[in-house]
Amino acid sequence: MAQVKRIRRNVSGIILLDKPLGFTSNAALQKVRWLLNAEKAGHTGSLDPLATGVLPLCFGEATKFSQYLLDSDKGYETVAQLGKTTTTADAEGEVLLERPVTVGQADVEAVLPAFRGKISQIPPMYSALKRDGQPLYKLARAGEVVEREPRSVTIARLELLAFDGDTARLAVDCSKGTYIRTLVEDIGEQLGCGAYVAELRRTQAGPFTLAQTVTLEELEAVHADGGNEAVDRFLMPSDSGLLDWPLLQFSEHSAFYWLNGQPVRAPDAPKFGMVRVQDHNGRFIGIGEVSEDGRIAPRRLIRSE
């Protein structure tokens, strides 16, 4: 008997998931996509299976703007286990080295200033970065270690929240591309005892916080009661991650030409930068960039939502 192909729905928006422990970001995305029966889906940057917390999931037209969330600043809380290092720099790896923990709370607080501001990090081997088309983590599992270029990241906040003998709970606000595992590992080396990430929770991604998230269990319960359409109520507008951008509202005439790929002028436009654009009815129709001649060039368009 031939299998009937599932017809997916054309739904658009963002669901802020509190990613559960043990799930890859893609596994979490595919689960929520199934609950919505959504045609098109994408996430905004990977969280390790060990990590939980804020994971914006984009559906339909919202996937056009996922890169801007990927590039946004992030916030985390992490528990650093002192006295050990592991192959993956987190609790999922094999222990490489054990050292006695002879430091106290004051010692931890004393080394943190060196990691605030703009710092250099060497990405871990267990990461999704690619070398010659191969993810580094695949090379690491095969026992290979390759040279990685240092990268500059910014740590806007690094605060000790709690200390308990051989664990330190830290709050971190950082730029895109920051590896919390590397940060914790480097702090451990600075303390002389080593450290790895025992727990990791993302508390913020761009403008989104934990308070706005929904759990997988909540989504499943709503789906069990009302099906795919019931889950739609958790969808936020496609431009929810861009609300801090300047907003322009075009006339019906300007919106028509702009949606057909033509730059237009707007009297209240900023002198430069990216903008959110609405039509005369207040409907989000895409993002644009202010060109040197003052016109708004379309960059990513939404024709219907």
Side-chain angles (χ1 to χ4, degrees):
M1 184 176 179
Q3 187 174 4
V4 178
K5 186 177 180 180
R6 191 180 194 193
I7 300 175
R8 294 191 179 273
R9 300 191 303 140
N10 182 19
V11 293
S12 292
I14 298 172
I15 285 183
L16 296 180
L17 182 69
D18 184 349
K19 188 189 84 65
L21 184 68
F23 275 69
T24 65
S25 293
N26 188 59
L29 170 68
Q30 296 307 324
K31 179 64 176 177
V32 178
R33 182 188 182 192
W34 183 86
L35 293 172
L36 277 170
N37 192 28
E39 184 177 17
K40 191 175 182 181
H43 61 73
T44 56
S46 296
L47 279 175
D48 294 334
L50 175 80
T52 64
V54 182
L55 181 64
L57 304 177
C58 298
F59 300 92
E61 292 293 302
T63 59
K64 294 179 177 179
F65 313 102
S66 59
Q67 182 62 43
Y68 300 100
L69 282 170
L70 183 65
D71 292 342
S72 65
D73 293 343
K74 309 293 191 300
Y76 297 91
E77 282 193 16
T78 185
V79 173
Q81 175 65 57
L82 306 180
K84 296 178 182 178
T85 57
T86 72
T87 52
T88 57
D90 63 23
E92 295 190 327
E94 298 177 7
V95 174
L96 288 172
L97 185 64
E98 291 191 45
R99 283 174 275 182
V101 179
T102 59
V103 297
Q105 180 172 332
D107 299 300
V108 176
E109 291 179 333
V111 304
L112 296 186
F115 296 94
R116 297 185 184 120
K118 187 168 286 189
I119 65 171
S120 180
Q121 283 192 331
I122 296 177
M125 276 300 301
Y126 280 87
S127 67
L129 293 178
K130 292 186 176 180
R131 171 67 60 88
D132 299 328
Q134 280 277 74
L136 290 184
Y137 66 81
K138 286 191 176 181
L139 298 177
R141 287 171 184 165
E144 295 184 46
V145 177
V146 298
E147 189 174 347
R148 287 96 67 203
E149 289 293 323
R151 57 168 58 183
S152 179
V153 298
T154 301
I155 309 296
R157 178 191 177 210
L158 177 58
E159 182 182 345
L160 180 64
L161 301 178
F163 181 81
D164 186 17
D166 62 353
T167 61
R169 180 175 291 276
L170 302 167
V172 185
D173 292 342
C174 56
S175 63
K176 71 165 185 173
T178 301
Y179 286 95
I180 302 300
R181 286 177 291 142
T182 299
L183 177 64
V184 166
E185 196 171 48
D186 290 346
I187 289 171
E189 289 308 307
Q190 190 76 19
L191 290 168
C193 60
Y196 67 80
V197 169
E199 297 176 23
L200 182 61
R201 185 155 176 76
R202 186 190 279 168
T203 56
Q204 186 166 357
F208 302 129
T209 66
L210 272 173
Q212 299 168 279
T213 60
V214 60
T215 67
L216 196 53
E217 289 78 11
E218 289 174 303
L219 292 173
E220 288 173 328
V222 169
H223 179 270
D225 286 340
N228 305 128
E229 289 79 6
V231 183
D232 290 355
R233 67 184 175 94
F234 294 102
L235 285 166
M236 302 173 68
S238 294
D239 62 339
S240 298
L242 311 174
L243 296 184
D244 56 340
W245 289 25
L247 175 64
L248 298 178
Q249 189 166 25
F250 286 171
S251 67
E252 186 174 5
H253 179 80
S254 293
F256 173 80
Y257 285 103
W258 195 75
L259 284 171
N260 282 280
Q262 298 185 36
V264 300
R265 294 189 182 277
D268 51 349
K271 293 183 178 180
F272 59 89
M274 302 293 290
V275 294
R276 273 188 307 137
V277 178
Q278 293 179 348
D279 66 10
H280 63 291
N281 291 318
R283 183 178 66 88
F284 175 55
I285 56 174
I287 60 173
E289 186 173 9
V290 184
S291 59
E292 291 183 359
D293 64 3
R295 294 187 297 171
I296 315 303
R299 291 293 178 253
R300 302 292 285 180
L301 301 177
I302 289 181
R303 300 189 183 279
S304 62
E305 189 175 32

